Amino acid sequence: MSVQLIACDVSVTLGKRKVLNAVSFEASKGEFLGLIGPNGAGKSTLLKTLAGLLCPDSGAIRFSRHNITDMSPQERARKIAYLPQARSVYWSVTARDIVALGRFAYGAPLTENPHDTAAIERGLKDAGADHLAKRPAAELSGGELARVHLARALAGETPLLLADEPIAALDPAHQMAVMTLLKTKSSEGGLVIAALHDLSLAARYCSRLIVLKEGSIASDGAPGDVLRPSLLKSAFSVDGTIVERAGHIDLTLQPIDHSV
Ligand SMILES: Nc1ncnc2c1ncn2[C@@H]1O[C@H](COP(=O)(O)OP(=O)(O)OP(=O)(O)O)[C@@H](O)[C@H]1O
């Protein structure tokens, strides 16, 4: 696999806090990379930095041989889709209007051509949101709106998709549908990086996991290699039982028993 994304010694300070500390990794097309770690570990900050929305204090990020900070916003938007964690909509626009913003780098919605229309409709369908297209976005439930925003990210047809907690608001069936979709997007040649809190789903669907802890990479590798009891304890402060069967990893998590 050819390396597509390189993050080299990336450090980010927000306010007075050093939130990312010399983060380095490489990723290739075809990977579905789960970014996991406890609250405040720096997952959203890393995704925003990879998207070019935050500027690192030091270090560099290259995607498709281009330095992210040298790319124009339009070039970035044609290569990188970013699904943020916060998804509220207060304007009187339809769900389809939101999805059409995914084609903004190509001139839509002002000049929507047949390719834009097809990408918007495919995004809505893939995200399971086609039936919501005409609904006012401000009236949608949290899970419905999450799927509409995912459709917006998909409509850009970018080679890199950065998704911050794409399944957080979803019911179990939609969680699995979205994880299957992201896995499919990567196996079709895309690179997908998603911040996730559900370790079981991350283990089942992602090809690789990166664990962030206090702004640094604590572990990086195949789910079965990363999710070990010692890592669950040190990074997530939980006790975990891990069973691998038929290519799947089953995780059972419980609070650390301090009495033993
Ligand atoms: N603008 C800011 N100024 C100062 N500190 C910030 C700012 N934004 C985020 N932080 C801090 O940076 C740290 C990392 O935040 P980040 O949102 O990246 O974590 P996360 O791993 O995505 O967490 P969560 O799982 O809770 O979403 C947190 O301690 C947070 O309080």
Side-chain angles (χ1 to χ4, degrees), residues 37-192:
N39 289 139
K43 302 178 296 297
S44 297
T45 304
L46 179 56
L47 289 178
K48 285 181 203 163
T49 311
L50 295 174
L53 302 173
L54 287 175
C55 201
D57 318 332
S58 57
I61 296 162
R62 291 175 70 78
F63 182 69
S64 285
R65 295 185 292 278
H66 297 281
N67 202 320
I68 293 276
T69 47
D70 294 340
M71 290 159 78
S72 70
Q74 187 185 38
E75 278 176 297
R76 278 207 313 268
R78 288 182 177 202
K79 288 195 185 310
I80 305 170
Y82 168 64
L83 177 67
Q85 200 174 9
R87 292 165 199 150
S88 302
V89 174
Y90 300 103
W91 313 285
S92 58
V93 293
T94 65
R96 190 189 189 284
D97 292 333
I98 300 279
V99 180
L101 290 173
R103 303 299 300 171
F104 194 72
Y106 296 93
L110 289 178
T111 56
E112 186 180 309
N113 65 33
H115 186 102
D116 296 322
T117 305
I120 291 163
E121 284 170 8
R122 201 163 37 246
L124 279 162
K125 186 166 176 296
D126 285 353
D130 39 358
H131 64 294
L132 303 171
K134 293 183 181 156
R135 296 269 309 274
E139 289 179 11
L140 298 178
S141 75
E144 290 169 338
L145 192 56
R147 289 182 348 251
V148 168
H149 281 292
L150 175 62
R152 196 258 314 143
L154 296 172
E157 299 180 315
T158 55
L160 173 58
L161 171 60
L162 303 171
D164 200 345
E165 299 194 25
I167 58 171
L170 306 185
D171 61 56
H174 282 108
Q175 286 189 335
M176 287 187 267
V178 167
M179 291 298 277
T180 301
L181 171 69
L182 298 181
K183 186 175 176 172
T184 303
K185 290 287 166 200
S186 63
S187 59
E188 287 173 351
L191 170 57
V192 179

Side-chain angles (χ1 to χ4, degrees), residues 11 61 96 107 166 168 232-233:
S11 294
I61 296 162
R96 190 189 189 284
L232 293 172
K233 190 171 270 183

Side-chain angles (χ1 to χ4, degrees), residues 212-225:
L212 271 186
K213 187 186 171 204
E214 296 171 4
S216 298
I217 293 182
S219 186
D220 178 357
D225 296 330

